[in-house]
Amino acid sequence: MNRVRKPYIAGNWKMNLDRSRALDLIKTIKGRLGDGNDREVAVFTPAVYLADVSAVAQGSPLGVGGQNLHWEQQGAFTGELSGKMLREVGADRVLIGHSERRHLFHEPDDWMGRKVRTALDCDLLPVLCIGETLDERSHNRTDRILKKQLESGLSAVQATETRRLTIAYEPVWAIGTGEVATPEQIAAAHALIRKWVGTKLGGDAAVTIRILYGGSVTPDNVKGIMASPDVDGVLVGGASLKPDTFLPIIEFETRA
Ligand code: PEP
């Protein structure tokens, strides 16, 4: 398949693994990765493992990211991390607005624009996660929810910055459930996102921005998902925790 944008395969380790398993996994991935010219691969690790994981990844094209950040640089924000802190321990990117942050920890939409802005200002590559719940989909509110999340998440982004920004479409009902969105649902959501970016930030931004799909991606379904129009990569949770499942996703073209 001739792709306009470089495929981006990302693993979200969430609050999983321990230090030794995290280091084993990153060493295995690094060992299998080529020069990084044909795809971008990254892992979003628990913050306490960032320094060690990024030390292993150093010198390779592997990206290493945090799973959240606060928009302030310092202050009385117990339990939070600033962009500068993430950079200091070797992160080069960060997840923003993952559905678990939005729904389990009640992070509101209007935080996301500030977080994206801060990430860009700190020289971190943000991956803004958006997606509808099952209830929202069943009430035909998917388009409205995605536009609302785009509006707030991209509120402070310039058109020229879309090369450094990635959007992950992750239907909440598909995350960790084994239920994957259909090719039609994925194609429709990704087309809506790209069109929205084009309308707000211009045609060049729409062509350059990468849009990932996330939600129960496995070695068996990755090739079909990657063939879907407007899909530039995948954000993988459960299947990113083991080489047996993550490596075949990274090498998705070779799947039968
Ligand atoms: C995720 O957490 O972003 C995710 C997509 O998880 P899973 O692949 O386990 O559904």
Side-chain angles (χ1 to χ4, degrees):
M1 189 181 196
N2 226 353
R3 292 185 177 274
V4 184
R5 296 163 290 271
K6 192 192 250 198
Y8 185 176
I9 314 295
N12 173 14
W13 292 353
K14 311 192 187 192
M15 196 174 76
N16 289 305
L17 301 173
D18 54 28
R19 183 174 172 278
S20 122
R21 284 194 294 158
L23 292 179
D24 283 350
L25 182 52
I26 199 75
K27 281 177 201 159
T28 308
I29 299 168
K30 183 181 172 182
R32 273 284 275 274
L33 217 60
D35 55 16
N37 286 335
D38 64 343
R39 76 203 58 211
E40 186 166 340
V41 178
V43 291
F44 293 88
T45 81
V48 288
Y49 303 143
L50 274 170
D52 292 334
V53 169
S54 59
V56 173
Q58 213 175 21
S60 82
L62 250 176
V64 177
Q67 299 174 2
N68 192 17
L69 92 172
H70 194 279
W71 56 85
E72 294 290 349
Q73 285 306 320
Q74 59 182 41
F77 302 103
T78 303
E80 294 289 320
L81 295 167
S82 72
K84 190 166 161 240
M85 289 169 180
L86 290 173
R87 289 282 321 165
E88 247 178 353
V89 290
D92 67 350
R93 61 198 70 208
V94 64
L95 290 180
I96 291 171
H98 189 277
S99 78
E100 285 147 21
R101 299 301 321 168
R102 291 179 190 265
H103 296 286
L104 297 178
F105 300 100
H106 307 290
E107 291 198 5
D109 272 351
D110 65 356
W111 286 8
M112 303 315 160
R114 286 190 265 182
K115 290 184 183 225
V116 169
R117 186 65 259 156
T118 299
L120 291 167
D121 290 343
C122 291
D123 209 15
L124 289 162
L125 304 168
V127 176
L128 173 69
C129 304
I130 63 172
E132 80 289 357
T133 63
L134 192 54
D135 185 59
E136 288 159 348
R137 175 165 285 275
S138 61
H139 287 90
N140 290 324
R141 295 182 62 222
T142 300
D143 290 10
R144 210 178 330 154
I145 293 297
L146 295 183
K147 284 180 192 165
K148 190 164 155 272
Q149 292 176 344
L150 287 167
E151 195 75 55
S152 46
L154 272 56
S155 57
V157 170
Q158 309 293 314
T160 50
E161 293 175 311
T162 47
R163 275 180 198 285
R164 297 164 56 212
L165 171 74
T166 301
I167 294 171
Y169 168 59
E170 299 206 298
V172 180
W173 47 272
I175 296 179
T177 59
E179 198 174 335
V180 192
T182 65
E184 293 75 23
Q185 289 169 330
I186 297 175
H190 282 233
L192 176 146
I193 295 167
R194 205 172 296 285
K195 186 166 173 223
W196 188 96
V197 170
T199 306
K200 296 285 175 174
L201 297 168
D204 282 355
V207 171
T208 54
I209 198 159
R210 283 184 295 181
I211 308 172
L212 316 184
Y213 167 79
S216 298
V217 175
T218 65
D220 293 334
N221 61 26
V222 64
K223 197 170 178 181
I225 291 168
M226 288 299 295
S228 193
D230 283 316
V231 173
D232 303 310
V234 284
L235 179 55
V236 187
S240 72
L241 298 172
K242 288 188 183 145
D244 288 2
T245 44
F246 197 38
L247 292 176
I249 293 176
I250 293 172
E251 295 161 359
F252 62 91
E253 300 94 333
T254 55
R255 304 297 300 170

